[in-house]
């Protein structure tokens, strides 16, 4: 797929998200947080949902967790503009609550389209929620396990529809290091796995 085709397809997804009324979250959003980064990225990071800062700016991972993500990327010599960052939900759930099943059902198809267009080699899931969603989508039997058991492992998967192959690497959410700075070293170790694939 040419760069121009990718740009056009991702723009079409963005327009769909902006017009989406499939769940009530559009009523409370300031801006949808569609995704950001290189349309030819080798690595795609997937989080759960936008937070308050993301909702105000439309930029994924731009708050405190985003600063830690930037630090982790630089620890493996990767620039943020070389990866693609998105969330399962494109709108912020009120008070940062967990996504409701009907919200995921409404929003996830946009993310899956983004993955299909970008065709990353690696899908790095950030935290429990996105890890469960992605591993379950790709039919990985271990999808029911917690992030502490899955973090840093590599799963070779194939999309049942597009037949494209990816390596999924579950990671702790960068926010864990906000509350416990000791976890930063664990995160840095796990990020080395991305560099080694």
């Amino acid at each position: 797929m040419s760069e121009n085709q990718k740009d056009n397809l991702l723009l079409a997804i963005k327009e769909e998200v902006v017009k989406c009324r499939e769940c009530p979250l559009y009523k409370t959003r300031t801006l949808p947080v569609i995704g950001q980064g290189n349309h030819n990225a080798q690595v795609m990071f997937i989080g759960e949902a936008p937070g308050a800062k993301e909702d105000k700016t439309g930029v994924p991972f731009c708050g405190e967790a985003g600063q830690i993500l930037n630090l982790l990327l630089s620890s493996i010599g990767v620039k943020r503009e070389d990866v693609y960052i998105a969330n399962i939900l494109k709108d912020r759930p009120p008070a940062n609550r967990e996504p409701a099943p009907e919200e995921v059902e409404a929003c996830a198809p946009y993310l899956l389209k983004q993955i299909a267009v970008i065709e990353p080699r690696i899908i790095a899931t950030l935290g429990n929620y996105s890890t469960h969603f992605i591993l379950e989508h790709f039919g990985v039997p271990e999808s029911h396990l917690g992030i502490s058991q899955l973090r840093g492992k590599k799963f070779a998967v194939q999309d049942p529809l597009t037949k494209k192959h990816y390596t999924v690497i579950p990671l702790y959410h960068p926010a864990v290091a906000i509350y416990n700075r000791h976890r930063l070293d664990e995160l840095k170790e796990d990020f080395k796995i991305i560099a080694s694939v």
Side-chain angles (χ1 to χ4, degrees):
M1 198 184 300
S2 77
E3 206 163 323
N4 201 27
Q5 283 174 302
K6 285 190 175 194
D7 292 348
N8 289 337
L9 287 167
L10 289 167
L11 184 60
I13 294 166
K14 179 180 180 175
E15 286 167 359
E16 277 184 72
V17 171
V18 170
K19 291 178 193 156
C20 185
R21 302 290 181 267
E22 291 293 315
C23 82
L25 289 182
Y26 79 91
K27 294 176 187 171
T28 53
R29 75 179 177 204
T30 309
L31 289 168
V33 182
I34 291 141
Q36 184 189 55
N38 188 329
H39 295 177
N40 294 303
Q42 293 291 295
V43 184
M44 184 169 178
F45 288 91
I46 298 171
E48 177 181 318
K53 280 198 175 154
E54 290 77 13
D55 177 67
K56 285 189 179 77
T57 60
V59 176
F61 282 85
C62 66
E64 225 176 330
Q67 288 169 7
I68 292 166
L69 178 59
N70 295 345
L71 179 75
L72 293 165
L73 287 170
S74 93
S75 78
I76 56 166
V78 174
K79 293 185 177 125
R80 182 173 166 131
E81 54 266 28
D82 292 337
V83 302
Y84 195 88
I85 304 169
N87 287 300
I88 298 169
L89 293 193
K90 306 305 185 191
D91 294 330
R92 179 191 180 210
N96 289 356
R97 65 160 168 72
E98 282 199 351
E102 61 275 12
E103 292 162 358
V104 173
E105 200 181 318
C107 230
Y110 301 124
L111 173 68
L112 299 175
K113 284 185 202 173
Q114 287 174 306
I115 294 169
V117 172
I118 293 162
E119 298 178 281
R121 245 176 0 101
I122 296 165
I123 298 171
T125 55
L126 300 172
N128 243 328
Y129 208 94
S130 67
T131 297
H132 288 315
F133 173 78
I134 290 292
L135 292 183
E136 200 175 306
H137 171 73
F138 287 117
V140 175
E142 295 92 332
S143 66
H144 66 284
L145 296 174
I147 190 66
S148 55
Q149 292 167 284
L150 294 168
R151 61 170 265 260
K153 292 188 172 162
K154 293 182 277 191
F155 297 93
V157 299
Q158 183 182 26
D159 190 296
L161 297 173
T162 64
K163 305 297 179 208
K164 290 172 184 168
H165 293 266
Y166 308 102
T167 299
V168 178
I169 303 174
L171 300 164
Y172 282 132
H173 195 287
V176 300
I178 296 170
Y179 312 110
N180 183 348
R181 295 307 281 189
H182 300 296
R183 303 299 280 279
L184 194 57
D185 292 335
E186 285 179 276
L187 280 160
K188 282 182 177 173
E189 281 305 305
D190 290 350
F191 263 66
K192 286 179 187 169
I193 294 156
I194 295 172
S196 74
V197 175

